Amino acid sequence: MKSLCLVTAGVLALTLLIASISLLVAHVFQSVVDLQVKQGTVLKNGTETFEAWEDPPPPVYMQFYFFNVTNPLEVLQGATPLVEEKGPYTYREYRPRVHVQFLDNGTKVSALNPKTYVFEPQKSVGDPEVDLIRTINVPAVTAMEWTRATSLQFATEVLLLLYQESLFTVRTVHELLWGYKDKLLSTIHLLHPEIDPVFGFFNKMNGTDDGEYVFLSGERNYLNFSRIVEWKGKESLNWWTTKSCNMINGTDGTSFHPLISKNENIYIFSSDFCRSFYLVYDSSGSVAGIPTYRFVPSPMVFANTTINPDNAGFCVPPGNCPGTGVLNVSICKQGAPIFLSAPHFYQAEQKFIEDIEGMHPTKEYHETFVDINPLTGLVLQAAKRMQINVHVRKLPEFFETGNIRTLIFPVMYLNESVLIDEASASKLKHVLLEASVVTGIPFVIMAIGIVLGIVFIVLVCRSRGVSEESTEEERSPLIRT
């Protein structure tokens, strides 16, 4: 009976150890979890995935920071601009997807994504309708750039004198953000109705959408989950000079496919940037106790053409490249000399930082990032940080420009951020716990095998001890004298 127990324990221990090692090597249970995640990450009506995509529960906040110019007269004489940062002016952003329609047997989904901004005074430094900012007069600069060396040059100069416009203007934060009726633009509007008489960096962007998107649902391939295939009815852009630069790649940055790898590039299309760009793995961490991979924009995205020749397509007109860290988007901003960068020219060429006194770029506050749970592809924390600049220079045709140096002049930057809410974090933790239980089964089997192996060794040792004692007794004489 004892021998039978020994054999059973030994065989069972060896079997369980072999089985657990085989399961680990073959990734059987990990493959089961991966398959379940892939099947669950599809935009399908009535599912939790679709509901979270349609109306994301985590709150989104938009913070605006402005650069107030303190030495405008000196700047017009050629001095270095001195700016002071003012902000944040914080708004709660609501961005549900509406008019959702399923296309091509559920393989595609079309939707509009209107955004509404509600001011949050407790998260702001002041009142946007009261606080004044001195900054570049964008309508005046744009009009001068439009009409220089044309037949309308003289008329523009007359209007600038008539309306007493200068290179700098003083406006409230609210006006600069959401718009004010500009006298110069109003006059131009009479001749060119396509020119909006109201100017604001976010004019007509509160309560409106930026066009219809068509997404892939992920039904056929989980890697295509929420990937954009059309925007405003087109499969590509037409602003840039090369096919690759005009491609619409990736998602809108609010969701990603599951099973994220550290080695892959995460593509995002942003209508604010008028282009697609990609993020690369930066570090591992955790948010609300949930493991994450942090992805940040690759330095190659806004590198100059000597570092990244592929960026030549973003130089409009061809050959007109501003330098590393800055993107000229005037072609998609009605010709206004708008240039985009990271806040405080973070990761841009040193010349841009040195040209403006008051720039203090830091990774912590000025880098765009996305923290993604690698298993589910869910965004736990993210911050999109973008700075709006105006290209200014001396125009001999217009005395308003004085002797100003050629500059990429910072006006404002934004920080659009999101952090997973407690309810969503709790649900995700439950999902990850279930996944860890399933993937941990081989280790449980291995542990049982090890325990049985130990029992087997103990029983064998005891059996040998008893055997040795019996043999010694047998050797002793039956009759002792």
Side-chain angles (χ1 to χ4, degrees), residues 330-450:
S330 57
I331 193 170
C332 61
K333 302 296 181 183
Q334 292 188 312
I338 302 297
F339 285 59
L340 301 181
S341 69
H344 287 252
F345 297 112
Y346 174 71
Q347 289 188 327
E349 290 181 19
Q350 192 64 26
K351 67 177 182 179
F352 298 119
I353 301 170
E354 294 174 351
D355 279 346
I356 309 293
E357 190 173 344
M359 296 291 98
H360 306 289
T362 59
K363 179 181 176 72
E364 181 181 0
Y365 298 110
H366 303 140
E367 182 178 53
T368 293
F369 69 87
V370 180
D371 289 338
I372 308 172
N373 175 251
L375 177 64
T376 62
L378 293 177
V379 176
L380 275 66
Q381 184 176 224
K384 182 178 77 173
R385 292 156 174 169
M386 178 183 74
Q387 181 169 292
I388 299 175
N389 312 280
V390 180
H391 180 257
V392 295
R393 56 179 172 166
K394 179 180 179 179
L395 299 175
E397 302 89 346
F398 298 98
F399 80 91
E400 287 83 3
T401 59
N403 290 313
I404 192 169
R405 295 154 52 193
T406 299
L407 298 167
I408 303 297
F409 209 110
V411 176
M412 61 167 289
Y413 74 88
L414 60 86
N415 176 27
E416 186 179 25
S417 61
V418 63
L419 176 64
I420 190 169
D421 59 292
E422 290 185 7
S424 299
S426 179
K427 287 182 180 179
L428 182 54
K429 285 180 180 178
H430 181 70
V431 171
L432 296 177
L433 178 61
E434 290 182 345
S436 63
V437 169
V438 174
T439 56
I441 289 176
F443 295 100
V444 174
I445 295 173
M446 182 180 289
I448 296 173
I450 291 172

Side-chain angles (χ1 to χ4, degrees), residues 131-203:
D131 294 357
L132 297 173
I133 302 294
R134 181 187 290 110
T135 188
I136 292 292
N137 189 341
V138 178
V141 171
T142 302
M144 287 187 278
E145 290 285 356
W146 277 343
T147 60
R148 65 183 298 266
T150 70
S151 59
L152 295 175
Q153 178 185 310
F154 179 72
T156 302
E157 182 62 60
V158 171
L159 290 175
L160 289 170
L161 290 171
L162 179 64
Y163 297 136
Q164 298 181 341
E165 297 284 359
S166 67
L167 195 66
F168 294 96
T169 185
V170 178
R171 295 286 177 177
T172 65
V173 169
H174 183 85
E175 288 176 322
L176 290 172
L177 283 177
W178 311 115
Y180 61 93
K181 192 169 185 178
D182 184 79
K183 293 180 181 179
L184 184 60
L185 292 180
S186 296
T187 303
I188 296 174
H189 175 73
L190 297 176
L191 300 174
H192 298 277
E194 71 276 10
I195 302 300
D196 196 329
V198 176
F199 171 77
F201 291 106
F202 282 76
N203 177 37

Side-chain angles (χ1 to χ4, degrees), residues 1-16 452-453 455-456 459:
M1 188 65 180
K2 288 182 180 180
S3 298
L4 180 62
C5 290
L6 283 173
V7 172
T8 302
V11 170
L12 190 56
L14 185 61
T15 302
L16 291 175
L452 287 175
V455 170
F456 172 75
L459 290 176

Side-chain angles (χ1 to χ4, degrees), residues 476-481:
S476 60
L478 293 175
I479 301 173
R480 293 183 175 86
T481 58

